[in-house]
Amino acid sequence: MSEKENLQDADGTIETNTTETPQTSNEANPSEELIPEDSKKSTEVDQTADAVDDVTETNLEKTEAVKPETQEDTPESEKSDKPIERTEEAHTETVEDTAEVHAKNLETVETTTTDTVKETKMADAHVEEIEESNAEDAEDETNAERHELESKDYHAMTMEQLTTELELLVENHKIQNIKAQVEEVKSEFNSKFDALLDEKKEEFLSEGGNEIDFYYSSPIKKKFNAVFKTYRNNLNAYYKERENNLKGNLENRLQIIEEIKSLINVEENINNTYKHFKDLQEQWRNAGPIPRDRYNNAWNSYHHHVEIFYDFLHLNRDLRDMDFKHNLEQKTKIIERAEELAQDDNINRSFRELQVLHKLWKEDLGPVAKAHREEIWERFSRATKTIHDKRQAYYEDLDKARETNLVKKEEIILKIEEIAAEDVSSHQSWQKKIKSIEALREDFFNAGKVPQKVNEATWSKFKSAVRTFNRNKNAYYKHLKKDQYENLEKKKALIQIALDNKNNEDFAATTPLMKKIQNDWKKIGHVPRKDSDKVWKEFKGACNAYFDRLHAERNEANKELMVAYEQKNALLTEVKGLELSGKPEQDIATIKEKISMWKAIGHVPSNKRYIDGKFNKALDALFGKLDMDKAKLEMIRFENKLENLAQPNDTRLLDNEQNFIRKKITEIKGEINQLENNMQFFSNVDETNPLVKDVIKNIDKHKQGLSVWQEKLKKIKSMY
């Protein structure tokens, strides 16, 4: 906006349409050079001041002509320390001439500043970052807290962590200062929830659902929405409460501007006018915040009329020079602090304090003498540019780091695409792939931010890769669920058989059937998870009901079997302590008697049958003590074994034993043939040779064993 436009807006003669500039953060436009507002005014106002200086000097001459005598012409004794008072005629003439010059200057400014505005357009663009931030802070003094809020990596947070972070922001900070953080948290949460929603929708559709019927609700989403609603309501209440105050403060500031404009037309002592001016400046400083969209216009108009008043003060240069000196001292301090900040390596801290310095320069201090304006501005500009350049370099380094993050994320996306393309056909393999994808998803979010220009494209590429994987996964499990539903029907059929037979009294016929359906159940594959526990409990209940009845029936019969077990246990103890006479025939008779007694006792419970093995082991120990032919002894033991194997109407145990004997006979014959073939290599060797004697001895041993096994075969055949 040109100087003339500022004047017109302040005077109210022309309505200026302003558009609220979008709020920007401290990190916005890092490449723009930061140059204070005074840069665009330095040329325009100086030209106006030059013109006013010329006219004012002319007016002074006119004043001297009107007055009867000046202070210099007054005798020394009559001179006074009182300030010079203007005559009414001189004052009127001066004001009229000054106003006339102002009118001409407005035309001059409009013409002469066109090129200047063009030249400083880029500077205006650079300074917008600071102006917008300061304008926002001006609405509420506590807004400055937003610059101190910690910046976190919300991109790496889960939805649960983002919800917690939003709660902490709303609870621990002023509601007007957390907008940037809340918007970033909301953006990250929505991105992650949208991705989850896509996955759930894909699963729903893959299971045969209709898209119009899809609905998904998440507890964490409800919690996030509730916290965000609290934030929004609190923010609305804050703005509503502040709105009236801002409007009132704006009206007050505009009234102050009008009073400053009218000072050049007031007919009073210049000292009183100056004092009134200083009071108005103090009122301005304490007038409170105003709407940010009117902030710059109001300040520009205020400064413009302050400049005009200072030009008007040419009539009393002492007052003006005193203000100029004060402003120069304070602006020099600001410059020195800016130069210190230019050496600070904490870029964000330097930039935030630079904003404060610009605010002080613009809001709290007036102009300096024209001789110093360009010099101090150039010095302040250099310090500002140094901070800007360092900040620009910081963001360039940040972009480089984000380029590295981009490479990492592209590698992760490539791995996801590779895993999605793998062809696997087992549940275990898919579970392994799912775990790999979850790990890569976490790596993606922990990899950090990427350059803003490719952020959306990278996120879309990531979602596309994950979506492809999910579609392949859902297609596999859709087919798997088809098999699972078929398995479910098979298991339901077995459940029906179990239910139909759980009360059957024919245990002999039903027990094999119940055992068979239990084996069939194990062979059937998985069923849908939602039905798995239900069908298993139903099947298990029916089977348990039957076998509980069976065991109760058998427990009644087991009472007699337990008596037999106790008798056999006593006989086993007796056999273990039996002392042989040393007479083989008598001892064999004793052993056979014990065997007959064992058989006479009868069967024991099935879970006690191990006692038969202990009895046979005790018999083997007794047979080992007998001094008689080993072959004959072996046959006695074998006959005892056959008696145990023999079962009425069941020859399976005898069949198994006979097959074992036949196999043993075949093996021994083979070994004998091998040894006899080996003997052919010793045809010319004396039989007294130790090696030959060993082979012959081994052949005789095998033949003796063969005759025993052949005798066993004859004996077992006689049992049929």
Side-chain angles (χ1 to χ4, degrees):
M1 180 179 288
S2 69
E3 183 175 331
K4 179 180 179 181
E5 289 170 334
N6 285 334
L7 268 173
Q8 291 172 334
D9 181 71
D11 292 341
T13 55
I14 295 181
E15 182 179 355
T16 305
N17 294 325
T18 61
T19 303
E20 182 175 352
T21 306
Q23 186 177 339
T24 59
S25 67
N26 289 344
E27 297 184 359
N29 303 326
S31 62
E32 295 181 356
E33 184 176 351
L34 305 175
I35 301 178
E37 175 73 16
D38 289 13
S39 63
K40 64 182 182 180
K41 294 169 58 177
S42 60
T43 302
E44 302 171 16
V45 176
D46 285 352
Q47 291 178 0
T48 304
D50 292 343
V52 174
D53 284 345
D54 295 339
V55 174
T56 307
E57 289 172 3
T58 303
N59 291 337
L60 283 171
E61 294 174 1
K62 292 181 179 180
T63 303
E64 292 171 357
V66 172
K67 296 169 67 174
E69 60 180 5
T70 66
Q71 192 171 358
E72 293 176 356
D73 297 331
T74 305
E76 198 67 34
S77 61
E78 297 181 12
K79 287 184 180 180
S80 171
D81 293 334
K82 295 181 181 180
I84 301 175
E85 296 185 359
R86 296 168 289 169
T87 64
E88 182 177 351
E89 294 83 356
H91 171 73
T92 302
E93 184 178 357
T94 302
V95 170
E96 289 175 354
D97 290 346
T98 303
E100 199 174 313
V101 170
H102 284 330
K104 292 180 180 180
N105 283 341
L106 288 177
E107 298 177 4
T108 304
V109 166
E110 184 175 14
T111 303
T112 59
T113 62
T114 300
D115 294 336
T116 304
V117 170
K118 290 180 180 179
E119 292 173 2
T120 60
K121 187 174 183 180
M122 289 305 298
D124 291 344
H126 295 328
V127 84
E128 279 181 3
E129 182 177 6
I130 288 182
E131 286 187 346
E132 288 298 329
S133 181
N134 286 341
E136 185 175 357
D137 290 345
E139 290 189 343
D140 189 331
E141 292 180 355
T142 61
N143 280 0
E145 181 207 10
R146 65 194 175 91
H147 304 302
E148 306 298 329
L149 288 181
E150 180 183 3
S151 180
K152 298 183 179 180
D153 187 5
Y154 299 120
H155 183 66
M157 293 185 181
T158 63
M159 289 191 291
E160 288 75 12
Q161 291 171 330
L162 289 169
T163 303
T164 301
E165 185 64 25
L166 181 61
E167 286 181 311
L168 293 175
L169 286 169
V170 173
E171 292 172 1
N172 300 328
H173 300 281
K174 292 186 180 297
I175 205 70
Q176 70 272 21
N177 293 336
I178 58 175
K179 180 178 180 181
Q181 287 76 12
V182 169
E183 289 301 322
E184 189 174 356
V185 168
K186 180 185 176 185
S187 175
E188 290 295 342
F189 184 93
N190 287 341
S191 295
K192 289 177 171 61
F193 184 77
D194 288 344
L196 175 63
L197 200 63
D198 286 345
E199 291 182 19
K200 297 298 181 182
K201 186 175 182 180
E202 288 287 342
E203 291 178 7
F204 178 77
L205 296 177
S206 69
E207 293 176 358
N210 193 328
E211 184 172 1
I212 197 173
D213 297 326
F214 174 73
Y215 174 77
Y216 177 74
S217 178
S218 167
I220 194 64
K221 174 64 172 174
K222 291 180 180 178
K223 184 177 180 181
F224 183 88
N225 288 346
V227 179
F228 186 80
K229 183 178 180 181
T230 300
Y231 162 76
R232 186 176 55 196
N233 291 341
N234 292 349
L235 188 64
N236 289 338
Y238 165 79
Y239 281 127
K240 186 174 182 180
E241 179 182 355
R242 194 188 62 179
E243 184 177 1
N244 292 333
N245 293 336
L246 295 180
K247 289 181 179 178
N249 293 340
L250 176 62
E251 292 175 1
N252 187 24
R253 287 184 182 273
L254 294 179
Q255 180 60 37
I256 292 172
I257 292 173
E258 291 300 319
E259 290 189 42
I260 292 175
K261 288 167 57 178
S262 66
L263 288 179
I264 61 175
N265 298 319
V266 174
E267 298 180 3
E268 63 179 359
N269 184 287
I270 190 63
N271 287 342
N272 293 335
T273 302
Y274 181 74
K275 181 179 179 182
H276 188 188
F277 169 73
K278 300 302 287 186
D279 289 341
L280 290 174
Q281 281 191 312
E282 187 64 23
Q283 291 179 37
W284 177 269
R285 294 188 186 99
N286 299 321
I290 61 176
R292 75 181 71 173
D293 59 324
R294 301 298 301 275
Y295 174 80
N296 284 323
N297 284 342
W299 275 101
N300 290 340
S301 180
Y302 169 74
H303 278 291
H304 176 75
H305 291 291
V306 167
E307 293 278 0
I308 291 178
F309 180 79
Y310 273 107
D311 291 333
F312 175 72
L313 282 183
H314 276 233
L315 297 173
N316 192 330
R317 293 180 181 273
D318 290 339
L319 293 176
R320 188 186 72 160
D321 291 346
M322 184 169 59
D323 254 15
F324 279 175
K325 180 181 179 182
H326 169 76
N327 294 337
L328 178 61
E329 291 173 352
Q330 297 303 314
K331 287 192 173 183
T332 300
K333 291 180 180 179
I334 289 177
I335 293 170
E336 290 172 350
R337 180 54 186 159
E339 290 171 342
E340 291 176 4
L341 292 176
Q343 306 303 318
D344 193 342
D345 292 332
N346 190 323
I347 305 301
N348 290 329
R349 181 177 63 196
S350 299
F351 180 76
R352 287 195 297 269
E353 189 168 344
L354 181 65
Q355 287 179 283
V356 175
L357 296 180
H358 275 261
K359 186 174 182 180
L360 292 173
W361 185 287
K362 177 177 181 178
E363 298 182 7
D364 290 3
L365 299 174
V368 300
K370 185 165 59 176
H372 301 291
R373 289 178 188 175
E374 184 175 353
E375 176 188 352
I376 65 168
W377 165 242
E378 288 298 328
R379 187 178 169 189
F380 189 37
S381 177
R382 284 194 300 271
T384 301
K385 188 176 186 304
T386 300
I387 296 174
H388 161 74
D389 291 344
K390 290 176 69 173
R391 191 163 184 259
Q392 185 179 25
Y394 166 78
Y395 281 105
E396 288 175 355
D397 292 340
L398 193 60
D399 280 342
K400 290 178 182 177
R402 290 181 175 179
E403 288 289 347
T404 303
N405 296 342
L406 176 62
V407 173
K408 292 179 183 177
K409 289 196 170 185
E410 287 178 340
E411 291 175 352
I412 292 171
I413 293 171
L414 181 60
K415 290 179 181 178
I416 294 175
E417 291 172 342
E418 290 173 351
I419 293 175
E422 292 176 0
D423 186 16
V424 296
S425 57
S426 69
H427 170 71
Q428 185 177 3
S429 298
W430 271 104
Q431 289 301 307
K432 185 177 179 181
K433 289 176 65 172
I434 290 171
K435 290 181 180 178
S436 298
I437 293 297
E438 287 301 321
L440 289 171
R441 281 170 61 97
E442 187 174 350
D443 291 343
F444 181 87
F445 290 120
N446 290 333
K449 294 183 178 181
V450 300
Q452 187 64 32
K453 61 183 179 181
V454 296
N455 182 56
E456 188 63 31
T458 306
W459 174 244
S460 298
K461 191 175 180 181
F462 169 75
K463 288 199 299 182
S464 176
V466 174
R467 188 182 296 114
T468 299
F469 170 80
N470 287 332
R471 285 176 178 172
N472 295 341
K473 176 195 69 176
N474 294 336
Y476 167 78
Y477 280 103
K478 181 180 180 181
H479 179 73
L480 184 63
K481 286 182 179 179
K482 180 181 178 183
D483 294 339
Q484 289 179 346
Y485 280 112
E486 292 177 358
N487 294 338
L488 178 62
E489 295 303 317
K490 293 177 182 178
K491 289 194 173 184
K492 285 182 177 180
L494 296 181
I495 292 172
Q496 191 59 47
I497 295 174
L499 291 172
D500 292 342
N501 290 277
K502 70 176 183 177
N503 296 319
N504 198 322
E505 297 293 337
D506 187 357
F507 294 114
T510 306
T511 300
L513 174 63
M514 297 299 284
K515 289 182 177 180
K516 180 180 181 301
I517 64 175
Q518 285 181 324
N519 289 330
D520 292 344
W521 182 279
K522 295 176 182 178
K523 295 176 183 178
I524 298 174
H526 295 285
V527 299
R529 184 179 301 175
K530 63 180 180 179
D531 301 304
S532 180
D533 289 342
K534 179 182 177 182
V535 295
W536 168 242
K537 289 178 181 178
E538 194 172 359
F539 179 72
K540 183 181 178 182
C543 290
N544 286 348
Y546 172 79
F547 284 106
D548 287 344
R549 290 178 54 252
L550 176 64
H551 293 153
E553 186 74 18
R554 286 181 175 178
N555 286 339
E556 190 66 29
N558 281 347
K559 291 180 181 179
E560 296 179 1
L561 298 179
M562 283 301 296
V563 174
Y565 170 75
E566 295 297 335
Q567 293 174 353
K568 282 192 172 184
N569 198 33
L571 181 57
L572 175 62
T573 303
E574 183 182 341
V575 170
K576 287 181 177 180
L578 184 63
E579 294 290 340
L580 298 178
S581 64
K583 299 176 181 180
E585 292 182 0
Q586 183 180 342
D587 290 338
I588 289 175
T590 301
I591 293 173
K592 285 186 176 182
E593 181 184 358
K594 299 300 180 184
I595 292 173
S596 299
M597 291 173 63
W598 187 271
K599 291 180 180 179
I601 294 174
H603 296 291
V604 298
S606 58
N607 61 338
K608 304 293 184 180
R609 288 177 183 172
Y610 62 84
I611 199 170
D612 290 331
K614 289 185 176 183
F615 181 71
N616 290 328
K617 188 175 181 181
L619 291 178
D620 289 339
L622 292 175
F623 282 127
K625 296 178 181 180
L626 294 176
D627 184 15
M628 59 183 297
D629 182 65
K630 298 297 182 183
K632 187 177 180 180
L633 183 60
E634 178 65 25
M635 287 305 297
I636 294 173
R637 296 168 66 181
F638 182 68
E639 288 173 2
N640 178 61
K641 181 179 181 180
L642 289 180
E643 290 178 1
N644 291 329
L645 294 177
Q647 299 289 334
N649 302 322
D650 189 356
T651 62
R652 286 179 295 176
L653 295 177
L654 290 174
D655 292 340
N656 291 337
E657 185 66 19
Q658 183 178 175
N659 291 333
F660 174 74
I661 293 171
R662 290 181 182 278
K663 183 179 179 182
K664 197 68 178 177
I665 290 172
T666 302
E667 290 177 358
I668 294 175
K669 285 181 177 180
E671 291 177 1
I672 292 172
N673 289 334
Q674 182 65 41
L675 290 171
E676 288 177 344
N677 288 335
N678 292 341
M679 282 295 295
Q680 293 178 5
F681 294 104
F682 304 102
S683 58
N684 299 323
V685 180
D686 188 357
E687 290 185 0
T688 60
N689 184 289
L691 185 59
V692 175
K693 287 173 67 176
D694 187 59
V695 174
I696 293 173
K697 183 179 179 180
N698 203 3
I699 291 173
D700 291 340
K701 181 179 177 181
H702 278 76
K703 285 182 178 181
Q704 291 175 6
L706 178 61
S707 64
V708 173
W709 285 106
Q710 287 173 339
E711 189 66 28
K712 286 182 178 181
L713 183 59
K714 290 178 183 179
K715 189 67 178 177
I716 198 171
K717 286 181 178 181
S718 66
M719 298 293 293
Y720 288 91

